[in-house]
Amino acid sequence: MLKGLIFDLDGVITDSAVYHLKAWQDLARGIGIELPEEFGDKLRGLSRMDSLEIILEYGHKENDYSQEEKEALAAKKNAAYVNAVKNMTRADILPKMDDLLKQAKGQGLKLALASASKNAPLILKQLGLADMFDARVDPATLKHGKPDPEIYIRAQELLGLEKNEVISFEDAPAGVAAIKAAGQFAVGIGDPIVLKGADYIVGSTSALDLTEIEKVFEA
Ligand code: B16
Ligand code: MG
């Protein structure tokens, strides 16, 4: 029986990916790497340091920096990102998500956030959703990033639920893989080819219908 929903943040509740990409592009340009717009998809769901590593590899500069220098680069990107997301408002909640969260609450479902972003509390505050979630995984406490299932298992445990009592929502292939490795029901939001491991797929949040998803889950 369905008792809880678990949500990724970037690409599911809000499109913070555009802010991540812009901040990474500015940082990368400063060290001589031009990141194309399509690179944004590669960064989805990855931790901050994993994102930096793939950017440096893309620019063939993975051996050019010490760990300390890499941390300084990541901190610089983060400062620019934090500055940008401070302009976010409720208008940045993706279509249908506010209604879906309210419907779920009205049905008595427990809600958790499973975002790799250390900035999730700030973003939820900007979106006016800070009080919506019963639990939030602190990514700083995790050993492994997505596609490892750790973050989804932790979210489910924080809600005090079993794997067959939750539905989890993701936009990234690494995130869908994490949900399935956790043994949970996965809703993928995005390209059906890229997210083919999910149990239920919609092209965008506009197409989400919780009642329909629940029917497939219970079937
Ligand atoms: P931060 P999600 C992820 O969010 C983003 O998709 C990814 O691009 C970002 O690098 C990661 O959060 C870490 O974010 O630098 O703010 O800690 O999709 O897991 O909600
Ligand atoms: Mg995401």
Side-chain angles (χ1 to χ4, degrees), residues 158-180:
L158 287 173
L159 292 178
L161 300 178
E162 300 296 325
K163 60 187 175 192
N164 59 357
E165 295 175 327
V166 298
I167 294 176
S168 296
F169 295 74
E170 260 290 349
D171 68 310
V176 168
I179 296 171
K180 291 317 297 171

Side-chain angles (χ1 to χ4, degrees), residues 62-82:
E62 65 271 34
N63 298 318
D64 291 10
Y65 298 95
S66 67
Q67 188 55 29
E68 208 178 3
E69 287 167 332
K70 285 180 186 174
E71 274 159 26
L73 287 172
K76 191 173 170 193
K77 176 267 173 179
N78 191 54
Y81 175 73
V82 166

Side-chain angles (χ1 to χ4, degrees), residues 171-194:
D171 68 310
V176 168
I179 296 171
K180 291 317 297 171
Q184 300 166 358
F185 185 99
V187 174
I189 300 164
D191 184 338
I193 297 168
V194 176

Side-chain angles (χ1 to χ4, degrees), residues 37-185:
E37 291 298 303
E38 314 82 76
F39 207 86
D41 280 341
K42 293 203 197 322
L43 302 173
R44 281 182 189 275
L46 297 188
S47 72
R48 197 178 307 165
M49 291 310 282
D50 286 349
S51 301
L52 178 63
E53 289 296 343
I54 67 161
I55 289 166
L56 293 177
E57 273 169 34
Y58 175 78
H60 306 292
K61 291 184 189 290
E62 65 271 34
N63 298 318
D64 291 10
Y65 298 95
S66 67
Q67 188 55 29
E68 208 178 3
E69 287 167 332
K70 285 180 186 174
E71 274 159 26
L73 287 172
K76 191 173 170 193
K77 176 267 173 179
N78 191 54
Y81 175 73
V82 166
N83 210 27
V85 298
K86 281 189 181 149
N87 295 321
M88 277 183 158
T89 67
R90 284 190 62 75
D92 288 291
I93 300 174
L94 282 168
K96 289 263 185 92
M97 288 314 294
D98 198 37
D99 288 347
L100 188 145
L101 291 170
K102 283 185 185 139
Q103 182 185 342
K105 276 262 178 211
Q107 288 176 211
L109 298 175
K110 296 270 176 232
L111 307 183
L113 194 75
S115 168
S117 176
K118 292 178 178 159
N119 294 301
L122 166 67
I123 296 175
L124 289 182
K125 183 168 156 268
Q126 292 297 130
L127 300 176
L129 295 175
D131 299 329
M132 214 36 163
F133 294 88
D134 301 285
R136 181 184 72 81
V137 178
D138 177 358
T141 65
L142 299 173
K143 289 197 184 65
H144 309 286
K146 299 169 188 177
D148 189 279
E150 188 179 15
I151 192 167
Y152 279 96
I153 294 171
R154 183 80 62 80
Q156 174 205 311
E157 286 173 353
L158 287 173
L159 292 178
L161 300 178
E162 300 296 325
K163 60 187 175 192
N164 59 357
E165 295 175 327
V166 298
I167 294 176
S168 296
F169 295 74
E170 260 290 349
D171 68 310
V176 168
I179 296 171
K180 291 317 297 171
Q184 300 166 358
F185 185 99

